[in-house]
C-alpha cells in the first residue's frame, strides 16, 4: 500500500493524507483546509493532488477547520463515500462548516468587488452552505475504543487524544494479500493534565505512525498556571490600565477553556467584576455542543458538575450574536474582556476588535495559541511597531502578550509521552507532519534518540510505500 501527504506537509495546516491499498481502494486521514498561507492559500485549497471521486472513506481526527474544512469541497468534487468520526466531532463540524461556508462566501464577495473593478475573472467560493449540508448524509459516528469493521480490508478504532472535544487518534488495522499492517494517525495531540478533557489515551502497537509536530521543539509553561496568568492580565489591563483585554480564540476548544478558567476564578472568589464578552456566534453554538458531551470531560470536571451545572458560565458573561452588538463594543470604552474568533486573528470579528483597539495603550491583545507564521496573530507576537490590518497600517500601542500555558497542542514532552505506549523498535516508520520545517527536524532528532529507527518528514504530495 501507499500513503501520500497532500497537506500539513512541512506546514501546520491543511491536514490531508491519502492511503491507497494494493487493490486500488483509497481513503483519507483528515480533509483539512489550508489557512493563513498568504497568496498560496487559494490554489492549495483548490488543487487536491488526487481525484476525490476515487476516495472511498474519510477518517477524521477532530473538528478544526485545518483538519476537516475541505469536506464540502470533497463531496462537491465527486466524493460519495463515508466519513467516520466521533459523535462529538460530527456535532461540531456540522456547525463549524456552515460557519466556514459563510466566511467563504463573504470573502469571495469582497474579493470580487475589486476584481470586477479591475475587469478580472470573478472567483467562486470554495463551497456554499448548500454544499455543507450535502455532506451530512455521509457522516457516520464511531465511539471511542469501539472496533469497527469498515470492510474486509479495514478495521477502525478511535482513541481519545485530548486535544478538543471528540478528538481522536485514528488506529487502522489493514489487511491485504494475507498480510496485516497497523497504522496510527495522531491528528493533533492534546496535553497531559488538561483542565477539561481527558489526557491522551494509549493506543495499540503500530507498524506505521503519522504524528503531528506543532510544538515538537519546545516545552510549554506548566498548564496549572494558566488561570493565574489569565487573571494577572485581566487585572493589569482592566483594573490598572482601565482598558480592554482582547483575546483571539478558536471557537472550538480554546474559547471553552477560557470560559472554564474564568468560571473557576469566580468559584475561587478571584474574578474581577467586569463585563466578559464572547463575541462569536460560532463559539456560542460550539460551547452548547461541548456541554452535550460530558463523556469527554475528565474526572475533575465530572466532579465539578455535581455542584456547578454549567462550568462555562459565570457572573458578567455576555454572549454576542448580533453584528450590531459586536460593533457597539468598539464604541464602549469601559474596561472589559472580549473573547472572539478567529484564534490566529486572521478573520472574523476579533480582527475588527484588534484594528479598533491596537492603537490604545490601555488595551492588551493576548495571543493564547499557535498562529501560522503569516497570520496576523503571529505578526503581533513579534511585537512590531506597526502592523497592517485590512490593508491599513496601524501603530501598535496596545500591549501584546503571549500566554503559552494555554496551548491545546502537545509540546515535545507530551508528544514523547504519547508515543511511550509504543515499542520504538517495532515501529517500521514514523512520518512527521503538521509542523514548521525547522521544528520537524528537531523533533525528528528527538525521536531518533528515543529509538525510532526510521523517521521521515514528507514533502507536499510526496508518496511512500508502506507494508
Amino acid at each position: 500500500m501507499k500513503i501520500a501527504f497532500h497537506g500539513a506537509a512541512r506546514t501546520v495546516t491543511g491536514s490531508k493524507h491519502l492511503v491507497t491499498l494494493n487493490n486500488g481502494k483509497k481513503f483519507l486521514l483528515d480533509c483539512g483546509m489550508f489557512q493563513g498561507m498568504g497568496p498560496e492559500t487559494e490554489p492549495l485549497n483548490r488543487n487536491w493532488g488526487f481525484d476525490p471521486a476515487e476516495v472511498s472513506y474519510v477518517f477524521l481526527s477532530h473538528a478544526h477547520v485545518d483538519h476537516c474544512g475541505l469536506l464540502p469541497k470533497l463531496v462537491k468534487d465527486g466524493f460519495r463515500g463515508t466519513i467516520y468520526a466521533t459523535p462529538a466531532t460530527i456535532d461540531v463540524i456540522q456547525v463549524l462548516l456552515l460557519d466556514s461556508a459563510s466566511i467563504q462566501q463573504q470573502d469571495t464577495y469582497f474579493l470580487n468587488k475589486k476584481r470586477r473593478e479591475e475587469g478580472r475573472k470573478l472567483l467562486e467560493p470554495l463551497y456554499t452552505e448548500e454544499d455543507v449540508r450535502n455532506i451530512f448524509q455521509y457522516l457516520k459516528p464511531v465511539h471511542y475504543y469501539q472496533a469497527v469493521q469498515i470492510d474486509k480490508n479495514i478495521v477502525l478504532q478511535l482513541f481519545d487524544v485530548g486535544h478538543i472535544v471528540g478528538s481522536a487518534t485514528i488506529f487502522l488495522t489493514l489487511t491485504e494479500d494475507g498480510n496485516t499492517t497497523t497504522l496510527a494517525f495522531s491528528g493533533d495531540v492534546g496535553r497531559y493534565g488538561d483542565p477539561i478533557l481527558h489526557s491522551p489515551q494509549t493506543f495499540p502497537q503500530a507498524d506505521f505512525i503519522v504524528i503531528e509536530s506543532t510544538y515538537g521543539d519546545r516545552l510549554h509553561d506548566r498548564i496549572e498556571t494558566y488561570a493565574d496568568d489569565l487573571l494577572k492580565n485581566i487585572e493589569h489591563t482592566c483594573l490598572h490600565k482601565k482598558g480592554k483585554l482582547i483575546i483571539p480564540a478558536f471557537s472550538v476548544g480554546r474559547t471553552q477553556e477560557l470560559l472554564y478558567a474564568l468560571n473557576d476564578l469566580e468559584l475561587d472568589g478571584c474574578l474581577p467584576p467586569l463585563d466578559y464578552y464572547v463575541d462569536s456566534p460560532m463559539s456560542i453554538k460550539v460551547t452548547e455542543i461541548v456541554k452535550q458531551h460530558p463523556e469527554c470531560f475528565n474526572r475533575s470536571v465530572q466532579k465539578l458538575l455535581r455542584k456547578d451545572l454549567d462550568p462555562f458560565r459565570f457572573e458578567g458573561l455576555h454572549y454576542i450574536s448580533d453584528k450590531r452588538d459586536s460593533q457597539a463594543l468598539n464604541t464602549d470604552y469601559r474596561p472589559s474582556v472580549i473573547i472572539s474568533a478567529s484564534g490566529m486573528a486572521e478573520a472574523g470579528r476579533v480582527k475588527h476588535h484588534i484594528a479598533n483597539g491596537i492603537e490604545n495603550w490601555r488595551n492588551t491583545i493576548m495571543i493564547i495559541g499557535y498562529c501560522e507564521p503569516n497570520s496576523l496573530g503571529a505578526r503581533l507576537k513579534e511585537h512590531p511597531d506597526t502592523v497592517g490590518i485590512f490593508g491599513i497600517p496601524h501603530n501598535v500601542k496596545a500591549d501584546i502578550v503571549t500566554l503559552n500555558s494555554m496551548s491545546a497542542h502537545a509540546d515535545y514532552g507530551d508528544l514523547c509521552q504519547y508515543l511511550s505506549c509504543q515499542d520504538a523498535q517495532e515501529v517500521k516508520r514514523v512520518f512527521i507532519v503538521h509542523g514548521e520545517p525547522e521544528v520537524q527536524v528537531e523533533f525528528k532528532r528527538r525521536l531518533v534518540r528515543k529509538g525510532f529507527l526510521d523517521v521521515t518528514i514528507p514533502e507536499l504530495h510526496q508518496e511512500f510505500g508502506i507494508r
Side-chain angles (χ1 to χ4, degrees):
M1 71 187 76
K2 297 178 289 186
I3 184 168
F5 297 88
H6 296 291
R10 307 196 182 195
T11 185
V12 294
T13 186
S15 179
K16 200 182 303 95
H17 316 302
L18 183 71
V19 176
T20 304
L21 303 184
N22 292 340
N23 61 9
K25 188 176 297 177
K26 298 180 181 182
F27 62 81
L28 273 177
L29 304 171
D30 281 351
C31 188
M33 180 185 293
F34 288 92
Q35 296 176 291
M37 298 191 68
E40 297 178 25
T41 308
E42 181 76 10
L44 283 170
N45 282 326
R46 292 194 181 274
N47 299 298
W48 293 104
F50 58 89
D51 183 356
E54 296 179 355
V55 179
S56 298
Y57 314 112
V58 178
F59 303 117
L60 285 184
S61 66
H62 66 286
H64 272 151
V65 170
D66 62 328
H67 291 259
C68 69
L70 283 186
L71 284 173
K73 188 174 188 300
L74 190 78
V75 173
K76 181 180 179 181
D77 291 353
F79 173 80
R80 294 298 180 269
T82 307
I83 303 165
Y84 294 91
T86 64
T89 293
I90 287 175
D91 287 348
V92 173
I93 65 172
Q94 293 183 61
V95 174
L96 183 79
L97 294 180
L98 284 171
D99 183 71
S100 177
S102 176
I103 292 172
Q104 299 297 321
Q105 290 172 279
Q106 290 173 25
D107 287 350
T108 304
Y109 172 77
F110 286 111
L111 286 171
N112 281 340
K113 286 179 67 175
K114 185 174 182 180
R115 295 176 75 92
R116 189 177 289 108
E117 293 171 359
E118 297 172 348
R120 299 165 65 192
K121 182 180 178 181
L122 301 185
L123 300 173
E124 291 186 5
L126 288 172
Y127 50 82
T128 65
E129 293 181 15
E130 181 181 357
D131 294 325
V132 172
R133 293 188 177 91
N134 284 341
I135 80 165
F136 295 171
Q137 61 188 306
Y138 302 110
L139 298 170
K140 186 169 183 177
V142 174
H143 293 277
Y144 287 132
Y145 316 118
Q146 175 186 3
V148 179
Q149 188 82 45
I150 303 300
D151 58 27
K152 67 178 183 179
N153 301 109
I154 305 170
V155 176
L156 168 68
Q157 288 178 281
L158 302 177
F159 296 88
D160 194 342
V161 76
H163 175 60
I164 62 169
V165 64
S167 60
T169 297
I170 296 169
F171 188 85
L172 297 165
T173 303
L174 308 171
T175 304
E176 54 180 1
D177 305 326
N179 298 313
T180 298
T181 301
T182 51
L183 171 65
F185 171 50
S186 72
D188 286 347
V189 181
R191 299 183 66 184
Y192 289 83
D194 184 274
I196 301 174
L197 304 176
H198 295 291
S199 292
Q201 303 296 293
T202 60
F203 56 97
Q205 183 66 44
D207 296 314
F208 296 91
I209 298 174
V210 180
I211 186 169
E212 68 118 327
S213 58
T214 312
Y215 289 119
D217 66 340
R218 72 198 75 176
L219 291 174
H220 297 312
D221 296 334
R222 288 172 52 239
I223 202 167
E224 297 88 351
T225 68
Y226 86 99
D228 291 337
D229 294 337
L230 178 59
L231 178 59
K232 288 176 184 176
N233 280 283
I234 294 172
E235 291 176 337
H236 177 66
T237 301
C238 302
L239 302 186
H240 299 153
K241 294 197 299 176
K242 306 297 183 184
K244 296 180 182 178
L245 178 61
I246 301 168
I247 309 176
F250 292 109
S251 296
V252 186
R254 199 54 49 78
T255 294
Q256 292 75 45
E257 290 176 7
L258 283 165
L259 295 179
Y260 183 82
L262 292 168
N263 179 73
D264 198 38
L265 289 170
E266 182 187 60
L267 293 175
D268 289 342
C270 300
L271 189 67
L274 299 164
D275 288 313
Y276 298 82
Y277 298 99
V278 174
D279 184 19
S280 166
M282 177 68 192
S283 296
I284 298 169
K285 294 174 184 176
V286 170
T287 301
E288 289 306 310
I289 291 172
V290 169
K291 294 176 187 178
Q292 296 167 18
H293 288 279
E295 74 276 6
C296 296
F297 298 161
N298 62 33
R299 290 181 182 178
S300 296
V301 181
Q302 296 284 357
K303 184 178 180 180
L304 177 62
L305 287 171
R306 297 172 195 161
K307 62 177 181 179
D308 186 350
L309 296 179
D310 191 344
F312 304 103
R313 181 172 285 278
F314 48 89
E315 189 70 27
L317 176 62
H318 309 277
Y319 286 111
I320 304 294
S321 293
D322 189 270
K323 183 178 179 181
R324 289 167 297 183
D325 293 334
S326 174
Q327 293 170 336
L329 293 179
N330 291 327
T331 56
D332 184 346
Y333 298 104
R334 291 174 296 178
S336 62
V337 177
I338 300 173
I339 302 166
S340 186
S342 71
M344 296 188 192
E346 264 302 282
R349 294 180 178 183
V350 77
K351 197 169 183 179
H352 294 273
H353 291 308
I354 291 173
N356 183 74
I358 199 166
E359 296 193 345
N360 187 338
W361 68 270
R362 296 183 184 275
N363 298 332
T364 299
I365 299 163
M366 189 166 74
I367 309 298
I368 60 173
Y370 179 82
C371 294
E372 203 281 330
N374 293 315
S375 66
L376 174 59
R379 286 183 279 137
L380 290 174
K381 288 171 74 172
E382 297 298 319
H383 299 276
D385 293 328
T386 60
V387 67
I389 307 174
F390 300 118
I392 300 172
H394 292 267
N395 294 321
V396 180
K397 296 181 180 178
D399 287 335
I400 309 297
V401 176
T402 300
L403 198 59
N404 291 321
S405 55
M406 286 201 70
S407 176
H409 276 276
D411 59 22
Y412 73 68
D414 294 316
L415 290 171
C416 290
Q417 185 173 347
Y418 170 75
L419 290 175
S420 65
C421 64
Q422 300 291 294
D423 182 344
Q425 301 295 309
E426 295 296 319
V427 178
K428 296 179 181 179
R429 199 169 200 174
V430 177
F431 296 98
I432 298 178
V433 297
H434 204 286
E436 296 302 327
E438 62 278 6
V439 175
Q440 293 181 318
V441 169
E442 177 57 34
F443 187 49
K444 176 179 177 176
R445 293 193 190 104
R446 194 168 296 276
L447 292 187
V448 170
R449 290 197 296 269
K450 290 287 183 181
F452 290 94
L453 303 176
D454 190 341
V455 182
T456 299
I457 303 172
E459 296 182 8
L460 185 63
H461 302 308
Q462 191 171 8
E463 186 176 72
F464 299 85
I466 57 175
R467 59 187 174 89

